[in-house]
């Protein structure tokens, strides 16, 4: 029997994703008996509204998780690494939205529409995948289940809110400066911690996260490795090119994929995706119906359109996948994991 | 022996590309003995500067091309169809920047770095390819020559100036409206002649040109068919997804390609492209060096970076290709064709 409510902690409550987590917990009417809002020292003391009640954000400490059932972490990888064990020690299950534990083989990496059952293997920590990965696997999993999947080549069109609220602010301030012919100095994008910063307004930057020695960015390698782990397809061919756009919120993806079966039509894929969990099909090109980032904001679905057959490869298809990177890409997927933990009886 | 100068006509002299053609003729110090500036009735009478001298744009008529050596057309497909024969009748060679004749088997479709020799087959009309095709084939041709080429999958990130100056204006006006929280009504993009118009500011629209019954846009089919024709590879596998971005000028492309030879390294490709005609390599990811649209404006090169090997396909590579869509994508390629016509002695 389910409890009437659960003690939920949100670590990183004042950040872009933390704020969306609170909004999502509110909208989805998540059963909460107690809410503990935590942050680093820098943001502690800030006031945050939840269901009309003002909460004060507390500075996280090793004892913050006493009595917590589920702790939603979204305060950066180093904070997760420091506090996950403390949360576990107090019996909380951590749902971590950073990349700290995603590729740890003892940590399930979960998108409920794809691999909800992996939650049973948790050892106290569950990882929430990278935003650009989540929306892609939601689109690909129904296809894999019915027609098999051997290859994925994705080019992304990613929004700046993936880099946090300060990056969104930078986009708007830079845009204003350019329009008014004023000076500006890029300070955050493409990557706060990297050496150089570039104009994002009216531009496209082919760098998200730092570069690795192999010429790929960490973001690209996240998409590649996380997709294989979530879908449990270690031999799937996956390639990714990740690009930052002057879009505040909403990631788009141009995805080429190959199924195992021949003779599959675009209509077969459309029929499948029209009924797929978490998906809204928007695919009527002759009436100019297709997903766009400006239309996906504040919605929890993954929007899919432009499904068409490759003209050369009998097993090849193309599609265009858009979702709110702060919701399904982060906050909503985390809250969904929390819902699944309750539904499956893992959190009692 | 070359003449000291040629009689050049520019049809569509007041448009976005026409203006860039004049600028390019000026910068490249093209040998001009006489310049005739033409337009439709709507723009006739406008004043245009060329090398400090004011020219009045005349309304085109069937006799406008008397004595003209080379006529650069960029006033829309229907205007090209109406006047190309008149220009031919007067002995002019037409370099047409519209899609009117591109797939006509009697019309060479030329990117001088790739297939300059095809100019010898002209019958009075030479077609300038689509902007997004040109920059891609400039990047692919040196690779094909040395290592072979079997497959191309491209996702584009295209600027609004590809839709004309009014579309650029719409981007800026919409951006201002959104920033100042004012109302606006999209009226041009994604396609002026289509039924619905969408916000382009802070958005990404997966439609360029109209849709065909097969689910592809005309823009995508242009990239596919023109690439095969220019490179003279009818059996090349080419797939394209074309997306419009809130970028004023500068098309970017995420290109996956497969060569015929195995054991080719990214360094092999880089060495090749570093010396390739019309190319500037910008590929040093660890120092955050890669091409971006904001840096390519007013430059005639095709900029290439992010060259890396696919992690699964031994013959597969990825790269990121950026160029000024009004210059190499249109005006510069047209003027370059005119230069080649003189250099090869086709126009005497």
């Amino acid at each position: 029997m389910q409890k009437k409510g659960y003690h939920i902690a949100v670590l990183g409550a004042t950040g872009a994703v933390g704020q969306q987590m609170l909004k999502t917990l509110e909208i989805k009417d998540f059963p909460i008996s107690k809410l503990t809002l935590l942050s680093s020292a820098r943001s502690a003391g800030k006031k945050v509204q939840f269901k009309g009640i003002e909460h004060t954000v507390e500075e996280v400490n090793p004892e913050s998780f006493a009595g917590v059932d589920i702790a939603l972490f979204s305060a950066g990888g180093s904070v997760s690494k420091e506090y996950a064990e403390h949360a576990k020690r107090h019996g909380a299950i951590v749902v971590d939205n950073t990349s700290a534990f995603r590729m740890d083989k003892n940590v399930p990496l979960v998108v409920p529409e794809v691999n909800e059952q992996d939650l049973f293997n948790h050892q106290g920590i569950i990882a929430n995948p990278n935003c650009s990965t989540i929306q892609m696997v939601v689109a690909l999993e129904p296809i894999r289940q019915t027609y098999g999947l051997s290859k994925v080549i994705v080019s992304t069109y990613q929004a700046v809110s993936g880099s946090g609220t300060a990056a969104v602010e930078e986009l708007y301030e830079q845009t204003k400066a350019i329009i008014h012919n004023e000076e500006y100095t890029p300070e955050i994008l493409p990557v706060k911690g990297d050496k150089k910063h570039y104009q994002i307004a009216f531009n496209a930057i082919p760098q998200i996260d730092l570069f690795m020695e192999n010429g790929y960015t960490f973001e690209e390698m996240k998409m590649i490795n996380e997709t294989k782990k979530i879908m449990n397809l270690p031999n799937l061919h996956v390639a990714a090119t990740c690009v930052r756009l002057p879009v505040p919120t909403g990631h788009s993806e141009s995805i080429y994929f190959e199924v195992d079966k021949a003779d599959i039509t675009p209509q077969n894929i459309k029929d499948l995706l029209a009924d797929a969990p978490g998906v809204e099909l928007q695919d009527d090109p002759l009436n100019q119906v297709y997903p766009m980032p400006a239309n996906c904001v504040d919605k929890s679905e993954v929007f899919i359109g432009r499904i068409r057959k490759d003209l050369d490869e009998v097993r090849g298809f193309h599609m265009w996948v858009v979702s709110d990177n702060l919701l399904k890409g982060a906050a909503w997927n985390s809250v969904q994991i929390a819902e699944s933990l309750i539904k499956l009886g893992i959190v009692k």
Side-chain angles (χ1 to χ4, degrees), chain A residues 2-65:
Chain A
Q2 284 183 12
K3 286 201 289 189
K4 270 184 103 174
Y6 300 83
H7 183 174
I8 303 296
V10 176
L11 173 55
T14 61
V17 173
Q19 285 291 300
Q20 291 295 328
M21 281 175 172
L22 292 173
K23 217 163 114 182
T24 305
L25 289 167
E26 204 172 303
I27 291 168
K28 304 285 179 180
D29 204 21
F30 194 92
I32 295 174
S33 58
K34 187 175 178 188
L35 184 64
T36 298
L37 302 185
L38 303 167
S39 75
S40 61
R42 192 166 47 86
S43 299
K46 283 192 184 168
K47 308 286 184 193
V48 162
Q49 293 280 328
F50 184 78
K51 292 196 172 180
I53 296 161
E54 194 174 82
H55 290 66
T56 302
V57 179
E58 303 163 34
E59 184 179 347
V60 64
N61 72 65
E63 307 313 318
S64 296
F65 304 94

Side-chain angles (χ1 to χ4, degrees), chain A residues 322-341:
Chain A
V322 178
S323 194
D324 184 323
N325 52 298
L326 299 177
L327 291 183
K328 185 54 186 167
W332 168 226
N333 198 68
S334 289
V335 172
Q336 230 182 333
I337 290 172
E339 286 185 351
S340 295
L341 287 170

Side-chain angles (χ1 to χ4, degrees), chain A residues 106 124 138 223 227 262 297 303 317 333:
Chain A
N106 297 317
V138 167
M223 285 195 82
T227 298
V297 178
F303 300 93
F317 291 87
N333 198 68

Side-chain angles (χ1 to χ4, degrees), chain A residues 5-179:
Chain A
Y6 300 83
H7 183 174
I8 303 296
V10 176
L11 173 55
T14 61
V17 173
Q19 285 291 300
Q20 291 295 328
M21 281 175 172
L22 292 173
K23 217 163 114 182
T24 305
L25 289 167
E26 204 172 303
I27 291 168
K28 304 285 179 180
D29 204 21
F30 194 92
I32 295 174
S33 58
K34 187 175 178 188
L35 184 64
T36 298
L37 302 185
L38 303 167
S39 75
S40 61
R42 192 166 47 86
S43 299
K46 283 192 184 168
K47 308 286 184 193
V48 162
Q49 293 280 328
F50 184 78
K51 292 196 172 180
I53 296 161
E54 194 174 82
H55 290 66
T56 302
V57 179
E58 303 163 34
E59 184 179 347
V60 64
N61 72 65
E63 307 313 318
S64 296
F65 304 94
V68 168
D69 292 304
I70 300 173
L72 305 174
F73 276 30
S74 186
S78 58
V79 178
S80 290
K81 280 181 184 151
E82 190 174 349
Y83 289 99
E85 286 303 319
H86 291 300
K88 275 177 66 173
R89 174 169 55 83
H90 284 289
I93 295 185
V94 175
V95 180
D96 182 38
N97 188 50
T98 76
S99 61
F101 304 107
R102 286 179 190 153
M103 296 311 296
D104 184 328
K105 66 181 189 319
N106 297 317
V107 174
L109 182 66
V110 176
V111 177
E113 291 88 343
V114 179
N115 63 336
E116 190 180 46
Q117 297 299 313
D118 287 352
L119 291 172
F120 286 110
N121 304 326
H122 86 88
Q123 298 178 22
I125 304 173
I126 293 144
N128 193 70
N130 187 44
C131 46
S132 48
T133 312
I134 294 175
Q135 67 185 69
M136 184 164 84
V137 297
V138 167
L140 290 174
E141 175 64 10
I143 297 166
R144 181 204 67 76
Q145 279 180 18
T146 309
Y147 300 122
L149 185 71
S150 60
K151 181 186 280 201
V152 178
I153 299 175
V154 57
S155 293
T156 72
Y157 301 68
Q158 294 183 233
V160 294
S161 58
S163 282
T165 43
V168 178
E169 197 59 31
E170 173 164 71
L171 167 62
Y172 284 125
E173 289 308 316
Q174 241 179 49
T175 303
K176 276 184 212 168
I178 290 173
I179 279 182

